[in-house]
Amino acid sequence: MVRRTFVQAPFSRLPTVWGATPDEVDRRYPCDEGMHGDRLVRAVSVGAEPGTVFAWLGNLRAAPYSYDWFDNFGRRSPRRLLTHLGDLAPGQRVMTIFEVDSVEPGRSVTISMTSRPGRALFGAVRVTYAVTPADRGCRLVAVLRFASSGTRLDATRRWVMAWGDLLMMRKQLLTLRDLSEGS
């Protein structure tokens, strides 16, 4: 399989932007509604149909698709579509600590941090995964919003979280891309 070059933000935009085009960064997403504070944007090109990529987003109910040894308790994220999970719907648990807020079938899913330990560690977090058609496939964009209390400690926590999320989300998006392309 031929690897494509990703649209990369200049290093000066790390850790807030990775792989996203200026239009993707500027676009408004469902997670932006009612959330103020830090905004992180990550994106990859996928050589698969948007519907296939969106179907793989449904698998996030079963596993995080990042570094399984770290965020999936050592269990391997499934390498096949789990059709028995059905369609994504509000209220469903995603990646253990999130819950589905809203779904635009075939286009986007927005999730919020709901677990008490997760909120204590990370604060209020909302994420939108958006799938948009593109040449030779589609783009998978993840936008994260973190609430901010404005304190120095909170600013440090959010800076550390942005770098950590960059590592984890990059791995997740690349894994979902590879699985979608192999479907």
Side-chain angles (χ1 to χ4, degrees):
M1 170 176 279
V2 176
R3 283 284 161 234
R4 292 169 306 285
T5 302
F6 295 102
V7 177
Q8 278 297 304
F11 286 115
S12 64
R13 300 200 60 196
L14 291 176
T16 58
V17 176
W18 174 82
T21 66
D23 287 344
E24 290 166 337
V25 172
D26 292 341
R27 190 174 300 139
R28 301 291 296 165
Y29 297 88
C31 66
D32 292 319
E33 295 175 26
M35 287 288 288
H36 305 286
D38 289 359
R39 186 175 194 260
L40 311 175
V41 184
R42 288 76 169 87
V44 294
S45 293
V46 184
E49 293 296 316
T52 300
V53 177
F54 191 80
W56 277 101
L57 290 176
N59 268 30
L60 292 176
R61 290 170 287 176
Y65 288 90
S66 186
Y67 294 101
D68 288 336
W69 54 268
F70 179 73
D71 64 356
N72 201 25
F73 309 106
R75 295 184 307 261
R76 184 177 168 109
S77 296
R79 295 311 198 235
R80 62 180 178 79
L81 281 172
L82 302 177
T83 56
H84 70 278
L85 295 175
D87 294 335
L88 282 163
Q92 293 174 329
R93 176 92 37 221
V94 178
M95 296 180 286
T96 308
I97 60 174
F98 289 91
E99 186 175 288
V100 175
D101 280 345
S102 64
V103 179
E104 294 178 75
R107 297 182 50 153
S108 73
V109 60
T110 300
I111 61 177
S112 290
M113 177 83 63
T114 55
S115 80
R116 183 169 277 142
R119 287 183 70 92
L121 185 60
F122 303 113
V125 179
R126 290 185 78 200
V127 183
T128 295
Y129 292 89
V131 181
T132 57
D135 292 338
R136 295 184 224 145
C138 62
R139 296 279 292 161
L140 174 57
V141 180
V143 180
L144 295 86
R145 292 302 302 249
F146 295 97
S148 173
S149 66
T151 65
R152 185 181 303 257
L153 179 61
D154 184 55
T156 301
R157 177 183 58 87
R158 287 180 291 115
W159 182 83
V160 170
M161 284 176 36
W163 281 104
D165 176 75
L166 175 63
L167 296 173
M168 301 301 281
M169 184 64 73
R170 179 183 178 279
K171 172 67 170 158
Q172 181 188 62
L173 295 180
L174 293 175
T175 300
L176 290 171
R177 177 205 63 196
D178 292 347
L179 291 168
S180 295
E181 290 178 348
S183 292

